[in-house]
């Protein structure tokens, strides 16, 4: 059974930085699969933020390109999301996901396992 546990959320002022971590247990990294970060702003739908394939390829939603960086430490079974230049519109519940398909890395239906999420609040 796959378990994903996020940490690193919190409150920050606009322009600040945060790093999220997601420790995965029971997950097998297979060719063609990916892990990702999604977020759900209050009252809105969840959207894909960033994803990384087993070959190291990365994908980002346009709004965070250049500000967010996703990385994966397979030795520690940990997925990271480093976020810089945070904006109030980045406020959301952030969740990591595993078991995604490489041909749809930022789409929610492609993922089979989800963490509980960690809240990020960016104040202006």
């Amino acid at each position: 059974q796959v378990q994903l546990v996020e940490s690193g959320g919190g409150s920050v002022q606009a322009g600040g930085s945060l790093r999220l971590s997601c420790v995965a247990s029971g997950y097998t990294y297979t060719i063609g699969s990916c892990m990702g970060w999604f977020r759900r702003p209050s009252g809105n739908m969840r959207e894909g933020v960033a994803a990384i394939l087993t070959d190291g390829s990365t994908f980002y939603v346009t709004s965070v390109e250049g500000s967010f960086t996703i990385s994966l430490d397979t030795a520690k079974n940990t997925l990271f999301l480093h976020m810089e230049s945070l904006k109030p519109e980045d406020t959301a519940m952030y969740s990591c996901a595993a078991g995604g398909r490489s041909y749809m890395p930022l789409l929610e239906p492609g993922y089979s396992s989800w963490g509980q999420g960690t809240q990020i609040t960016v104040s202006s």
Side-chain angles (χ1 to χ4, degrees), residues 34-115:
C34 57
M35 297 185 72
W37 288 97
F38 288 74
R39 65 185 179 187
R40 186 195 299 271
S42 179
N44 291 309
M45 296 179 65
R46 185 155 56 187
E47 68 168 351
V49 176
I52 185 166
L53 307 188
T54 50
D55 66 0
S57 300
T58 56
F59 302 84
Y60 298 94
V61 68
T62 302
S63 61
V64 307
E65 282 184 343
S67 298
F68 290 14
T69 303
I70 188 171
S71 60
L72 176 63
D73 186 334
T74 54
K76 297 182 178 180
N77 293 325
T78 303
L79 180 71
F80 299 98
L81 183 67
H82 184 74
M83 304 173 289
E84 296 181 343
S85 303
L86 285 162
K87 306 171 184 177
E89 51 263 42
D90 293 317
T91 295
M93 178 70 75
Y94 284 71
S95 301
C96 70
R101 299 294 90 197
S102 61
Y103 52 85
M104 47 191 296
L106 295 179
L107 296 182
E108 184 175 346
Y111 287 81
S112 56
S113 300
W114 294 85

Side-chain angles (χ1 to χ4, degrees), residues 10-16 18 86-91 120-124:
S11 297
V12 64
Q13 289 191 325
L18 283 173
L86 285 162
K87 306 171 184 177
E89 51 263 42
D90 293 317
T91 295
I120 290 178
T121 302
V122 184
S123 58
S124 57

Side-chain angles (χ1 to χ4, degrees), residues 7-27:
S7 62
S11 297
V12 64
Q13 289 191 325
S17 301
L18 283 173
R19 188 180 79 161
L20 301 182
S21 301
C22 173
V23 178
S25 58
Y27 179 63

